[in-house]
Amino acid sequence: MLGSWLRALVGIVVFFVVLAVGLSVTGTLDLSTDPATGLIAAQNTIIAILGAAVLLGFVAYAATEYAQTKRLDSISSQFDTRTIVLIPIAIAINIILGQTVSAALKVPIYLDSIGTILVGVLAGPIAGAVTGGLANLIWTYVLPAPFHSDYAGPFFIVAIEIGLLAGIFGRLGFFRSRPNARSDQLAIGAVVVVAIMAVIAVYGFIPFYANGAITFFAPPVEGAKPPDPIFVILGWAVALLMIAAVVGLIALLFVRRDLGAAYIFVAGLACGIVSAIISAPISAIVFGGVTGGGSDLLVAAFQQAGDSLSSSVLKQGLLQDPIDKTLTFFIVFAILGALSRRFVARFPQGEQAVGLAEA
C-alpha cells in the first residue's frame, strides 16, 4: 500500500513540475479570442502542455513501480481484453450523451462521463483516466460535426481526474449495493441524501427555473442554428434517463433500504467538487466562461448578480459539477446493478468494486 501511494505521489509531483516548466518556457500565452467560438488562440498550447505533464507524470509513476517491483502489474492488470473492448464503447457513450446535452438541453448537467466512470469502476483508476482523456480529445480533434465539440478538448484533464476518482471509489467499495440496511444506518443515509438533494434543489434549480434563466429545451440564441433533429430526439431520451435515475435512487434508498445510494451520493458530491475546482480556471482562461452548454446561463446569472468572471465560473462549477457527478455516479450504479454478476466479475476490478465476493 505504501508503495502505491509513493508511486502516485511521484507521478503528481512530476505532473506539476512539467506543468510549471511548460508554462514558463512558453512565456506569455496568446489570450486573443476567436469571435466565432470564443476560444483563445493559445488553447492548443495549453492542451499540449497539460498532455505532456500527464504523460510524463504517468511515465514517472510507471518507472517508480518498475524500480520497486521490476514489474508493471498495477498498470497491465487494468487493461485486459474486456477492458480494451469496453473503452471505445464507453468513449462513444460519453460523446453521444455529452453532445446531446450540450446541443439540445440547457440544464446544469453534462452527462459526458458515464462511460469514463463505468470503466474506472470495473477496470481501475488508470483505465478510467485513459478513457476520460481520450474521449475528450477525440471529441474535439477527431470527430466531425454534428458530434464535434470545440469545448471538450481543454477539459480532458478533468475527464482524467473523473476516471481516476471513479476507479478509487470503486476500489473502496462505494459502488456496492447494500440492501436491507439497519434502520439506524438507513436513517443516517437518508439524512445525507435528503440534505444533498435539498441543497441542489434550493440552490441549483429553483432560482434559475423560477425566473426563466434555464429551460429544459432552451431556444437557440438569436441567429444561431437550432440543434440537429437527432439531438432533440436523444434529448428526450436523456430527459427520461434523468427522471428514471432520480426515481430509481429514491426507490433504492426507501423501498429496498439500500444504503449504497447514500454512498453514491457522497462519492458523486466529492468528485463534483474536485472537478469544479480543476475546471474553473480552464473555463475562465480558455473560454471566458462560455462553453456552449447550459453552464453558460449560470455563469451569466452569477455575473449579473455582481460576481467576477473567475468567481462566477467557480460558483457555476461548484453548483453544476456535484449535480452532474451525483446523477452520473447513480446511473453507473444502476447499470452495474443491471449487469449479470458473472459479467461484472470478469473485469479486473469487478468483484472488488461491487462486492461480488461477499454476496
Side-chain angles (χ1 to χ4, degrees):
M1 178 63 71
L2 182 60
S4 62
W5 282 107
L6 176 61
R7 295 194 294 269
L9 179 61
V10 170
I12 292 170
V13 169
V14 170
F15 169 82
F16 281 108
V17 169
V18 174
L19 182 61
V21 171
L23 291 174
S24 176
V25 169
T26 54
T28 303
L29 297 172
D30 184 354
L31 301 182
S32 59
T33 59
D34 182 337
T37 64
L39 299 170
I40 63 170
Q43 66 148 337
N44 290 328
T45 301
I46 294 174
I47 292 174
I49 294 172
L50 286 171
V54 169
L55 181 60
L56 291 178
F58 176 74
V59 169
Y61 171 94
T64 304
E65 179 178 11
Y66 190 79
Q68 291 174 326
T69 66
K70 303 303 179 185
R71 301 170 67 91
L72 296 173
D73 287 346
S74 73
I75 299 171
S76 61
S77 64
Q78 296 184 35
F79 292 92
D80 64 355
T81 303
R82 292 178 183 83
T83 302
I84 293 172
V85 171
L86 179 61
I87 286 176
I89 298 173
I91 290 173
I93 292 172
N94 284 354
I95 293 172
I96 292 172
L97 290 181
Q99 190 69 8
T100 298
V101 171
S102 175
L105 302 181
K106 299 300 180 182
V107 290
I109 59 169
Y110 307 105
L111 288 188
D112 59 357
S113 55
I114 290 177
T116 299
I117 295 169
L118 184 62
V119 172
V121 173
L122 289 175
I126 296 175
V130 169
T131 303
L134 283 178
N136 280 46
L137 293 175
I138 290 171
W139 199 350
T140 292
Y141 293 108
V142 177
L143 292 183
F147 289 97
H148 169 81
S149 172
D150 291 316
Y151 305 101
F155 290 107
F156 86 98
I157 190 69
V158 183
I160 288 174
E161 165 264 322
I162 293 169
L164 286 172
L165 287 183
I168 293 171
F169 281 124
R171 287 187 178 180
L172 294 176
F174 274 71
F175 285 82
R176 295 177 185 174
S177 181
R178 295 170 170 84
N180 303 315
R182 297 198 319 264
S183 296
D184 57 335
Q185 294 176 325
L186 190 66
I188 295 173
V191 168
V192 171
V193 170
V194 170
I196 294 174
M197 290 183 71
V199 170
I200 288 174
V202 173
Y203 178 57
F205 280 92
I206 295 176
F208 299 100
Y209 277 98
N211 63 14
I214 296 177
T215 57
F216 201 73
F217 278 88
V221 177
E222 184 176 353
K225 290 171 48 180
D228 289 355
I230 185 175
F231 293 125
V232 176
I233 296 171
L234 288 171
W236 284 108
V238 170
L240 294 174
L241 176 67
M242 291 190 295
I243 294 171
V246 173
V247 172
L249 187 147
I250 295 173
L252 276 178
L253 185 63
F254 296 106
V255 177
R256 288 191 58 197
R257 301 170 63 88
D258 192 338
L259 197 61
Y263 279 80
I264 291 299
F265 257 77
V266 172
L269 180 66
C271 183
I273 292 172
V274 175
S275 298
I277 293 172
I278 296 175
S279 64
I282 297 173
S283 180
I285 294 172
V286 179
F287 307 110
V290 178
T291 61
S295 60
D296 298 351
L297 301 171
L298 297 181
V299 172
F302 286 130
Q303 286 186 293
Q304 288 174 2
D307 288 315
S308 64
L309 174 61
S310 59
S311 175
S312 297
V313 170
L314 180 58
K315 282 186 176 182
Q316 167 267 317
L318 289 173
L319 165 63
Q320 188 165 356
D321 280 291
I323 295 173
D324 174 69
K325 301 308 177 292
T326 299
L327 181 63
T328 306
F329 269 53
F330 178 72
I331 291 173
V332 173
F333 180 65
I335 291 172
L336 292 172
L339 295 174
S340 74
R341 298 162 66 89
R342 179 176 298 180
F343 177 78
V344 172
R346 288 174 176 170
F347 284 89
Q349 197 172 268
E351 289 192 10
Q352 184 180 1
V354 298
L356 296 176
E358 300 174 6

